[in-house]
């Protein structure tokens, strides 16, 4: 799906690409899942013609994942004097080191996705890197990024607070969903569905975002619209709604509060269009 820029997205890109700024340019995009945070980071890379290095955080994210991991077998071979093995072979670069190496020849965009899933100490590791652009190896090596060619985009779903020092170092952007008419127009253009169906799907997504447990993405709305042509009745439309938009019973309850019999209403709108 082609990325649709909001005016606020355009400002985010202008801030991160401002050549008057010194050092590594970094931004933190917060917002609910499905709003388009990672897609904006990838769009930034496309605009810059940059290499992308992507890392999805987990509760076990470590310094080695970010910087450099040592291969014990190759270290042992090096220590044992095995021919054809040198110090470089002992390294397994993490996401930041890979990006640093890219900057020697071209721009690089690092995407650190869902930082709020990682332990709080990862915030400190990122802060130090953003301040210096240095990666230190286990044998005293140091790699230095071309700061003018390195861009870091961090995303968070706000499952935990991000440390204040890191927040001070990045440009912070709270990303909203696209306006409802824009979402409906994108679904219509992507799928060819009728305007009434697209508006209703967007209304349903908005109801779940407001009163349910999840936040259906625009892509999920597109997939629902595409799948409606496969349905052969109200029962199957309900399965499609539950399969694409609703992740919990509370999500479904939000649709019921919106229109009573959501599957029947959507099926009727589909047949009218």
């Amino acid at each position: 799906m082609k990325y649709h820029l909001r005016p606020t997205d355009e400002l985010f890109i202008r801030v991160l690409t401002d050549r008057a700024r010194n050092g590594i340019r970094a931004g933190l995009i917060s917002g609910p899942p499905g709003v388009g945070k990672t897609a904006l980071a990838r769009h930034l890379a496309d605009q810059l013609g940059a290499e992308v290095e992507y890392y999805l955080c987990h509760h076990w994210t470590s310094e080695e994942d970010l910087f450099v991991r040592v291969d014990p077998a190759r270290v042992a071979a090096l220590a044992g004097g095995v021919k054809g093995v040198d110090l470089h072979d002992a390294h397994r670069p993490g996401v930041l080191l890979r990006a640093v190496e890219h900057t020697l020849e071209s721009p690089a965009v690092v995407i650190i996705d869902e930082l709020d899933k990682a332990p709080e100490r990862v915030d400190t590791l990122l802060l130090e890197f953003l301040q210096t652009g240095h990666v230190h190896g286990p044998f005293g090596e140091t790699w230095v990024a071309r700061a003018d060619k390195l861009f870091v985009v961090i995303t968070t779903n706000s499952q935990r607070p991000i440390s204040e020092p890191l927040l001070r170092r990045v440009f912070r952007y709270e990303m909203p969903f696209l306006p409802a008419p824009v979402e409906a127009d994108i679904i219509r253009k992507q799928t060819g569905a009728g305007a009434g169906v697209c508006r209703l799907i967007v209304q349903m997504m908005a109801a779940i975002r407001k009163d349910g447990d999840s936040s259906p993405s625009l892509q999920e709305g597109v997939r629902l619209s595409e799948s409606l042509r496969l349905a052969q009745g109200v029962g199957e439309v309900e399965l499609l709604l539950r399969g694409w938009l609703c992740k919990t019973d509370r999500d479904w309850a939000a649709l019921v509060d919106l229109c009573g019999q959501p599957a029947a209403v959507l099926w009727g709108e589909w047949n009218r269009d």
Side-chain angles (χ1 to χ4, degrees), residues 6 9 28-38 40 113-117 154-160 162 172-177 209 214-216:
R6 309 160 181 78
D9 294 350
L28 185 141
I29 309 175
S30 58
V35 77
K37 301 184 292 294
T38 307
L40 176 56
D113 215 2
E114 300 184 9
L115 177 61
D116 49 320
K117 290 183 178 178
I154 302 166
T155 77
T156 173
N157 297 326
S158 302
Q159 292 187 13
R160 70 162 174 85
I162 304 303
R172 302 174 301 279
Y173 173 33
E174 178 75 29
M175 177 180 279
F177 283 102
R209 293 166 183 168
S214 62
S215 55

Side-chain angles (χ1 to χ4, degrees), residues 24 100 128-135 143-145 150:
I24 297 170
V100 166
E128 182 179 356
F129 175 76
L130 293 177
Q131 290 173 334
T132 67
H134 292 184
V135 172
W143 293 267
V144 182
L150 185 57

Side-chain angles (χ1 to χ4, degrees), residues 109-252:
V109 172
V110 182
I111 304 173
I112 305 295
D113 215 2
E114 300 184 9
L115 177 61
D116 49 320
K117 290 183 178 178
E120 292 184 19
R121 58 184 173 78
V122 175
D123 295 10
T124 302
L125 296 173
L126 286 173
L127 176 62
E128 182 179 356
F129 175 76
L130 293 177
Q131 290 173 334
T132 67
H134 292 184
V135 172
H136 300 288
F139 307 112
E141 316 92 325
T142 300
W143 293 267
V144 182
R146 283 279 307 273
D148 60 322
K149 292 185 178 294
L150 185 57
F151 304 82
V152 179
V153 179
I154 302 166
T155 77
T156 173
N157 297 326
S158 302
Q159 292 187 13
R160 70 162 174 85
I162 304 303
S163 71
E164 185 176 346
L166 181 58
L167 290 177
R168 289 198 299 266
R169 178 58 183 77
V170 299
F171 175 61
R172 302 174 301 279
Y173 173 33
E174 178 75 29
M175 177 180 279
F177 283 102
L178 290 166
V182 175
E183 286 194 321
D185 189 55
I186 291 173
I187 294 174
R188 182 183 61 80
K189 290 177 179 177
Q190 289 282 324
T191 69
V197 167
C198 298
R199 285 194 297 268
L200 181 56
I201 289 174
V202 171
Q203 289 170 7
M204 289 178 165
M205 292 194 301
I208 294 172
R209 293 166 183 168
K210 179 176 182 291
D211 297 319
D213 290 324
S214 62
S215 55
S217 67
L218 178 57
Q219 184 64 54
E220 288 172 309
V222 168
R223 289 169 178 164
L224 171 60
S225 180
E226 290 172 338
S227 300
L228 283 172
R229 61 181 175 80
L230 305 175
Q232 297 181 4
V234 172
E236 292 189 350
V237 172
E238 179 172 336
L239 290 176
L240 292 175
L241 282 167
R242 291 183 180 273
W244 287 123
L245 300 190
C246 298
K247 300 176 181 67
T248 67
D249 290 341
R250 189 177 172 190
D251 289 350
W252 181 256

